[in-house]
mmCIF file of all heavy atoms in Angstrom:
data_model
loop_
_atom_site.group_PDB
_atom_site.id
_atom_site.type_symbol
_atom_site.label_atom_id
_atom_site.label_comp_id
_atom_site.label_asym_id
_atom_site.label_seq_id
_atom_site.Cartn_x
_atom_site.Cartn_y
_atom_site.Cartn_z
ATOM 1 N N TRP A 97 -4.438 -11.519 7.040
ATOM 2 C CA TRP A 97 -4.893 -11.437 8.429
ATOM 3 C C TRP A 97 -3.740 -11.266 9.405
ATOM 4 O O TRP A 97 -3.887 -10.616 10.445
ATOM 5 C CB TRP A 97 -5.805 -12.611 8.776
ATOM 6 C CG TRP A 97 -7.131 -12.360 8.124
ATOM 7 C CD1 TRP A 97 -7.597 -12.916 6.967
ATOM 8 C CD2 TRP A 97 -8.115 -11.406 8.535
ATOM 9 N NE1 TRP A 97 -8.821 -12.372 6.639
ATOM 10 C CE2 TRP A 97 -9.165 -11.450 7.597
ATOM 11 C CE3 TRP A 97 -8.215 -10.526 9.605
ATOM 12 C CZ2 TRP A 97 -10.289 -10.642 7.689
ATOM 13 C CZ3 TRP A 97 -9.344 -9.722 9.706
ATOM 14 C CH2 TRP A 97 -10.363 -9.788 8.757
ATOM 15 N N ARG A 98 -2.547 -11.777 9.066
ATOM 16 C CA ARG A 98 -1.362 -11.481 9.897
ATOM 17 C C ARG A 98 -1.037 -9.991 9.826
ATOM 18 O O ARG A 98 -0.730 -9.370 10.841
ATOM 19 C CB ARG A 98 -0.163 -12.318 9.442
ATOM 20 C CG ARG A 98 -0.174 -13.749 9.958
ATOM 21 C CD ARG A 98 1.156 -14.460 9.722
ATOM 22 N NE ARG A 98 1.536 -14.529 8.318
ATOM 23 C CZ ARG A 98 1.150 -15.480 7.463
ATOM 24 N NH1 ARG A 98 0.343 -16.441 7.875
ATOM 25 N NH2 ARG A 98 1.553 -15.464 6.216
ATOM 26 N N GLU A 99 -1.124 -9.429 8.616
ATOM 27 C CA GLU A 99 -0.861 -7.992 8.477
ATOM 28 C C GLU A 99 -1.900 -7.157 9.216
ATOM 29 O O GLU A 99 -1.575 -6.124 9.798
ATOM 30 C CB GLU A 99 -0.824 -7.589 7.000
ATOM 31 C CG GLU A 99 0.436 -8.040 6.312
ATOM 32 C CD GLU A 99 0.786 -7.190 5.115
ATOM 33 O OE1 GLU A 99 0.820 -5.950 5.236
ATOM 34 O OE2 GLU A 99 1.035 -7.788 4.065
ATOM 35 N N ILE A 100 -3.142 -7.601 9.190
ATOM 36 C CA ILE A 100 -4.198 -6.878 9.918
ATOM 37 C C ILE A 100 -3.914 -6.930 11.417
ATOM 38 O O ILE A 100 -4.091 -5.921 12.117
ATOM 39 C CB ILE A 100 -5.588 -7.442 9.564
ATOM 40 C CG1 ILE A 100 -5.948 -7.046 8.122
ATOM 41 C CG2 ILE A 100 -6.651 -6.951 10.552
ATOM 42 C CD1 ILE A 100 -7.190 -7.713 7.570
ATOM 43 N N GLU A 101 -3.450 -8.066 11.909
ATOM 44 C CA GLU A 101 -3.082 -8.163 13.333
ATOM 45 C C GLU A 101 -1.970 -7.175 13.659
ATOM 46 O O GLU A 101 -2.028 -6.481 14.677
ATOM 47 C CB GLU A 101 -2.656 -9.592 13.691
ATOM 48 C CG GLU A 101 -3.792 -10.587 13.760
ATOM 49 C CD GLU A 101 -4.823 -10.259 14.825
ATOM 50 O OE1 GLU A 101 -4.461 -9.750 15.900
ATOM 51 O OE2 GLU A 101 -6.013 -10.527 14.571
ATOM 52 N N GLU A 102 -0.943 -7.113 12.804
ATOM 53 C CA GLU A 102 0.161 -6.166 13.021
ATOM 54 C C GLU A 102 -0.333 -4.724 12.933
ATOM 55 O O GLU A 102 0.121 -3.860 13.684
ATOM 56 C CB GLU A 102 1.276 -6.404 11.994
ATOM 57 C CG GLU A 102 2.049 -7.687 12.205
ATOM 58 C CD GLU A 102 3.055 -7.942 11.089
ATOM 59 O OE1 GLU A 102 3.512 -6.974 10.445
ATOM 60 O OE2 GLU A 102 3.374 -9.125 10.863
ATOM 61 N N PHE A 103 -1.209 -4.458 12.014
ATOM 62 C CA PHE A 103 -1.787 -3.133 11.815
ATOM 63 C C PHE A 103 -2.620 -2.734 13.031
ATOM 64 O O PHE A 103 -2.665 -1.568 13.414
ATOM 65 C CB PHE A 103 -2.653 -3.165 10.546
ATOM 66 C CG PHE A 103 -3.204 -1.860 10.100
ATOM 67 C CD1 PHE A 103 -2.429 -0.957 9.392
ATOM 68 C CD2 PHE A 103 -4.528 -1.529 10.367
ATOM 69 C CE1 PHE A 103 -2.951 0.255 8.959
ATOM 70 C CE2 PHE A 103 -5.060 -0.320 9.937
ATOM 71 C CZ PHE A 103 -4.262 0.568 9.241
ATOM 72 N N GLY A 104 -3.292 -3.736 13.617
ATOM 73 C CA GLY A 104 -4.152 -3.527 14.776
ATOM 74 C C GLY A 104 -5.615 -3.620 14.364
ATOM 75 O O GLY A 104 -6.055 -2.888 13.479
ATOM 76 N N ARG A 105 -6.342 -4.522 14.996
ATOM 77 C CA ARG A 105 -7.755 -4.707 14.646
ATOM 78 C C ARG A 105 -8.582 -3.463 14.939
ATOM 79 O O ARG A 105 -9.454 -3.111 14.152
ATOM 80 C CB ARG A 105 -8.337 -5.925 15.355
ATOM 81 C CG ARG A 105 -7.871 -7.224 14.741
ATOM 82 C CD ARG A 105 -8.604 -8.404 15.368
ATOM 83 N NE ARG A 105 -8.093 -9.633 14.822
ATOM 84 C CZ ARG A 105 -8.749 -10.372 13.937
ATOM 85 N NH1 ARG A 105 -9.925 -9.991 13.504
ATOM 86 N NH2 ARG A 105 -8.234 -11.493 13.475
ATOM 87 N N ASP A 106 -8.324 -2.812 16.071
ATOM 88 C CA ASP A 106 -9.071 -1.587 16.390
ATOM 89 C C ASP A 106 -8.777 -0.499 15.364
ATOM 90 O O ASP A 106 -9.686 0.183 14.886
ATOM 91 C CB ASP A 106 -8.733 -1.073 17.793
ATOM 92 C CG ASP A 106 -9.367 -1.912 18.885
ATOM 93 O OD1 ASP A 106 -10.341 -2.642 18.585
ATOM 94 O OD2 ASP A 106 -8.883 -1.848 20.028
#
Side-chain angles (χ1 to χ4, degrees):
W97 285 101
R98 280 191 301 274
E99 286 205 51
I100 289 171
E101 287 298 325
E102 289 175 26
F103 187 80
R105 285 187 183 255
D106 286 341

